[in-house]
Amino acid sequence: MADCLFCRIAAGDIPADIVHADERMIAFRDINPQAPMHVLVVPRRHIATLDDLSPDDDQLVGEMMRRAAALARENGYADRGYRTVFNCNADAGQTVFHIHLHVIGGRSLTWPPG
Ligand code: AMP
Ligand code: ZN
């Protein structure tokens, strides 16, 4: 989608600090990190929210989760722990309407979230 920020990052039109790229997804550092590690795992295909996923996307989302775990492990946070988050729509504070999996690690995180 031409007017979607994360589509434009995936296309290389807007720069980002990319830490992983393959045929189906990219991962880049969040511009406003909430922890020492804050990476977004983003499918290349435009999907606005979790509500727009179909059964055909099951493999894609599984790959995104496993990529999040691999990135956390590469950064040394597998054993001590990290958090993965999909925000969906207004009450969750979704601001970019192209799904993205936050991978947050490197500090002790509180629960419940704010
Ligand atoms: P959400 O609130 O779940 O929609 O998260 C959107 C995230 O995208 C926020 O954590 C932002 O800091 C991040 N973000 C917005 N613009 C950019 C950008 N140009 N590059 C990297 N991250 C961004
Ligand atoms: Zn998009």
Side-chain angles (χ1 to χ4, degrees):
M1 262 179 73
D3 60 348
C4 170
L5 174 63
F6 287 177
C7 280
R8 295 185 69 190
I9 289 176
D13 295 341
I14 293 178
D17 187 355
I18 291 176
V19 297
H20 173 83
D22 62 40
E23 313 85 66
R24 288 171 297 285
M25 70 191 74
I26 60 170
F28 51 87
R29 296 192 191 285
D30 196 293
I31 204 166
N32 183 24
Q34 300 302 309
M37 176 189 181
H38 188 169
V39 167
L40 305 175
V41 179
V42 179
R44 289 188 182 277
R45 186 160 56 82
H46 183 84
I47 302 168
T49 80
L50 284 192
D51 294 333
D52 300 299
L53 289 169
S54 78
D56 287 347
D57 299 317
D58 288 358
Q59 182 170 347
L60 173 67
V61 175
E63 287 182 17
M64 290 172 66
M65 297 304 304
R66 292 207 313 114
R67 179 55 54 189
L71 288 166
R73 178 169 294 281
E74 285 167 22
N75 281 270
Y77 301 134
D79 292 337
R80 59 182 281 194
Y82 58 93
R83 185 168 293 167
T84 57
V85 176
F86 279 107
N87 291 320
C88 184
N89 287 331
D91 272 4
Q94 185 175 2
T95 59
V96 178
F97 285 81
H98 177 138
I99 62 167
H100 47 280
L101 179 59
H102 295 258
V103 190
I104 302 166
R107 67 174 173 85
S108 183
L109 299 161
T110 57
W111 192 264

